[in-house]
Amino acid sequence: MYKLFLCLRYLRKRRIAFFAVAAVCLCTAMVLIVVSVMGGFLQMVRDRSRGMLGDLIMENASLQGFPFYQEFIDLIKAEMPDQIEEATPVIISYGVIRFPTDQITKPAQIVGIRLAETMRVNEFGKGLFYETYYPGTSTLGPVRMPCVGFDEAGRPALPEDLEAAWQRWRASAGPAQAAKAPIEESLRYNRPGYYAPVPAEESGGPMAPGWYGRELPGAIIGTDLCARREPDGTFTRYYWRGYPVTLTFVPFTDTGKPLETGSGMPSKLFRYVDDCRTGVYDIDSMSVYVDFDLLQDVLEMDEQRLGEEAGGGTIPPRTTQVQIKLRPGADPRRTRDLLVERWREFYAGRIDGLRTPELIRRVMILTWEEKQAKFIGAVEKEKVLVTTLFGVVSVVAVFLVGVIFHMIVQQKTRDIGIIRSVGATSLGVAQIFIAYGAAVGLIGGALGTMLGTAFVWRINEFQDFLRRLDPRLEVWNAEVYAFDRIPNTVKAWDAGVIYLVAVLASIAGSLVAARRAARVWPVEALRYE
């Protein structure tokens, strides 16, 4: 009982112990913040990689692409129904996007996808803005411009199909969530900034909502290409839904030469039907998604017949990538190995007629982890390095606890002598200071865990506050770190381990002082006093 009494008394009365508590608190918070941010960054890299690529990726790392993709997709879906859930081809090319009204031109990565298949293979659909609030209305097919008019009561209204889609989402989301939707807020205050007003010259009478303009193929644009990020984390979109944009393409032949056309690089007019936010700045600031078949046709990667001067024959259609989603429970590495063997058997009888057989020989099938191995490995090493550095810095708390306890032992030599003289053992005296160190660790670690957790949860708001004060105070630049938000999740396991280490470190810091106190002789202590 006397051990607990003295431990609590020293903790309350000896104010110097507060410095030890503060040191443990700050070191715990610092390490927890670093581990959470770096661990969250690593998890974001892994989640985004898998979300964008699917489970397996088939490619030859060439803009020329490779043939026989559709036959192989059909084959593996038929032969491996227990492993393969879905597969879709993707064309990745480069070009230029131009916004005609603003006369703004930007470089772009042009991606050809089959929208419905892509949304089943990966998480592309989760990042679509308009598709969230108007499910089923985003399309890469021909579309006109949806315009806001006014209903009979004079309130802003959308075309009937969009209104119906909005009501479906609103019913599933509930009134509280629907009221926070940016589009609903815009319409409620008669500021329909996401949709164009009905053109007066085309309405032919009352400004009735509807679809206007000529049909153009749809395009989904990366959010950072068509919107500005505000300090509060929302986006201000520069263009209405249905806004026309021009894409200029850079096609290549199957032999890798730029395709020669009489009018230079081909251009085509599209309509902006949605924008996609993956959370990866390098993708959201560059990518434009169009229909796979359309892009294949523009780049002349569809089936091509060769003239007699080129030897005749045909060039089979090509794609640059195939993304594959596995069924739950399927082993990615084992399935990859099976697909590699099956691919070799598949193309063996087809390779002889190709002008460029290397396109098919160099096809690789990778898991999403292997595809992003260099990036993920670099982030993992960075996490270990930074955590180690801050862990070494935090060792100062151990020495500070030891110094403070050493001073307390020196000042309390008389008390120790009295305790020993009434029968306390050396072990009992040592246990007082060990318990004292544990108490410092428990309190300081708890405060540090709460402080670090609160800071991580609010780290993006703190970043936005600094940016509003002075843009130069921005510590997380999306262009540098790829992701547009700082990871703000604290794992319970990380917090628990760091808290336990803080308590053990405090106990370790008290051991030297406890040993010294245990060796004090009662007579010498009283004579010293």
Side-chain angles (χ1 to χ4, degrees):
M1 181 61 69
Y2 73 90
K3 303 171 188 175
L4 179 62
F5 171 77
L6 289 176
C7 176
L8 295 176
R9 185 173 185 274
Y10 288 165
L11 197 61
R12 295 195 309 268
K13 299 297 184 180
R14 304 304 299 174
R15 295 183 179 178
I16 193 172
F18 294 162
F19 289 97
V21 172
V24 174
C25 171
L26 293 176
C27 289
T28 301
M30 179 176 61
V31 174
L32 180 59
I33 291 170
V34 170
V35 169
S36 297
V37 172
M38 294 303 301
F41 184 46
L42 175 60
Q43 191 61 44
M44 286 172 65
V45 170
R46 298 178 66 87
D47 292 343
R48 295 293 191 274
S49 297
R50 187 169 190 174
M52 292 182 299
L53 298 173
D55 297 309
L56 299 176
I57 302 93
M58 186 177 181
E59 63 179 8
N60 66 353
S62 168
L63 292 176
Q64 300 158 253
F66 60 93
F68 307 128
Y69 61 90
Q70 191 58 56
E71 296 95 319
F72 188 68
I73 290 175
D74 296 337
L75 177 68
I76 61 176
K77 290 175 68 174
E79 291 186 351
M80 306 172 65
D82 295 336
Q83 288 86 22
I84 307 298
E85 180 174 331
E86 185 60 275
T88 185
V90 176
I91 293 178
I92 300 175
S93 184
Y94 295 89
V96 174
I97 183 171
R98 180 173 177 269
F99 301 92
T101 303
D102 298 340
Q103 302 297 318
I104 291 177
T105 302
K106 297 181 180 181
Q109 175 180 267
I110 304 174
V111 184
I113 61 174
R114 294 173 180 168
L115 184 58
E117 289 182 1
T118 299
M119 292 171 68
R120 292 195 296 268
V121 168
N122 56 40
E123 298 179 355
F124 180 79
K126 294 182 179 180
L128 298 179
F129 177 72
Y130 287 101
E131 183 68 14
T132 300
Y133 304 106
Y134 302 89
T137 62
S138 294
T139 176
L140 298 178
V143 66
R144 302 170 74 191
M145 177 182 285
C147 296
V148 175
F150 296 92
D151 60 15
E152 296 178 356
R155 294 171 301 189
L158 291 169
E160 290 184 5
D161 49 351
L162 293 181
E163 284 286 357
W166 163 258
Q167 294 301 332
R168 288 197 303 270
W169 177 82
R170 187 174 184 176
S172 63
Q177 186 177 357
K180 297 179 181 179
I183 295 178
E184 172 68 5
E185 181 181 357
S186 177
L187 293 176
R188 185 187 304 125
Y189 293 103
N190 196 16
R191 292 184 289 103
Y194 297 96
Y195 289 90
V198 174
E201 65 275 9
E202 296 189 29
S203 61
M207 307 293 281
W211 298 82
Y212 296 89
R214 66 189 179 98
E215 284 191 341
L216 296 173
I220 297 173
I221 304 176
T223 302
D224 288 296
L225 259 179
C226 61
R228 180 181 71 251
R229 182 183 178 83
E230 303 296 346
D232 61 357
T234 61
F235 286 88
T236 298
R237 284 161 175 79
Y238 298 122
Y239 310 104
W240 292 313
R241 193 180 193 187
Y243 181 90
V245 296
T246 301
L247 291 179
T248 302
F249 305 88
V250 184
F252 292 90
T253 67
D254 64 323
T255 58
K257 296 180 180 179
L259 194 64
E260 297 179 2
T261 61
S263 57
M265 293 186 295
S267 295
K268 195 171 183 64
L269 199 60
F270 293 80
R271 287 199 186 278
Y272 156 54
V273 296
D274 209 335
D275 56 81
C276 179
R277 178 171 175 257
T278 66
V280 182
Y281 180 82
D282 290 347
I283 294 176
D284 296 340
S285 63
M286 283 284 292
S287 298
V288 180
Y289 306 87
V290 299
D291 181 69
F292 177 86
D293 294 329
L294 183 149
L295 183 60
Q296 190 179 52
D297 177 66
V298 172
L299 297 179
E300 297 195 17
M301 294 179 69
D302 55 351
E303 185 175 4
Q304 300 288 318
R305 295 188 179 277
L306 298 174
E308 294 182 2
E309 66 280 1
T314 61
I315 301 174
R318 292 167 286 136
T319 189
T320 56
Q321 193 176 85
V322 172
Q323 298 178 358
I324 303 170
K325 181 179 181 180
L326 303 182
R327 293 196 181 277
D331 183 7
R333 295 183 182 275
R334 181 174 179 275
T335 306
R336 174 207 58 192
D337 294 339
L338 292 175
L339 290 178
V340 168
E341 291 300 323
R342 192 67 186 91
W343 172 250
R344 290 173 181 167
E345 297 172 3
F346 172 80
Y347 78 73
R350 296 171 171 83
I351 195 171
D352 293 337
L354 293 178
R355 291 200 304 173
T356 51
E358 287 302 313
L359 293 182
I360 203 169
R361 287 198 185 101
R362 296 188 180 184
V363 170
M364 302 174 293
I365 302 178
L366 308 170
T367 66
W368 65 271
E369 290 179 302
E370 292 171 333
K371 173 68 175 175
Q372 299 290 337
K374 290 184 179 179
F375 192 23
I376 293 175
V379 176
E380 287 177 338
K381 292 178 181 178
E382 186 177 352
K383 177 189 175 184
V384 172
L385 176 61
V386 174
T387 303
T388 302
L389 291 176
F390 277 87
V392 171
V393 172
S394 298
V395 173
V396 70
V398 177
F399 290 100
L400 184 59
V401 170
V403 170
I404 290 174
F405 278 33
H406 180 77
M407 294 172 61
I408 292 175
V409 169
Q410 282 189 320
Q411 293 176 358
K412 294 299 178 181
T413 303
R414 182 172 177 273
D415 291 356
I416 296 171
I418 294 174
I419 295 171
R420 291 292 307 279
S421 67
V422 297
T425 63
S426 298
L427 179 60
V429 172
Q431 289 176 344
I432 293 174
F433 290 93
I434 292 175
Y436 194 8
V440 169
L442 289 169
I443 297 173
L447 294 175
T449 301
M450 291 187 289
L451 177 63
T453 300
F455 183 83
V456 172
W457 284 350
R458 293 289 182 181
I459 194 168
N460 284 292
E461 287 78 359
F462 184 68
Q463 153 92 344
D464 295 337
F465 172 73
L466 292 178
R467 188 190 295 117
R468 286 194 295 270
L469 289 179
D470 188 343
R472 292 174 297 180
L473 296 177
E474 183 180 37
V475 296
W476 183 274
N477 189 328
E479 298 183 16
V480 175
Y481 294 100
F483 298 99
D484 55 6
R485 298 296 281 171
I486 306 174
N488 60 347
T489 301
V490 178
K491 293 183 178 179
W493 171 260
D494 292 338
V497 170
I498 293 172
Y499 181 45
L500 178 61
V501 171
V503 175
L504 295 178
S506 298
I507 294 174
S510 66
L511 290 178
V512 175
R515 181 173 179 273
R516 185 176 183 279
R519 298 178 65 182
V520 172
W521 287 92
V523 175
E524 292 183 0
L526 294 174
R527 183 174 59 184
Y528 173 80
E529 291 293 333

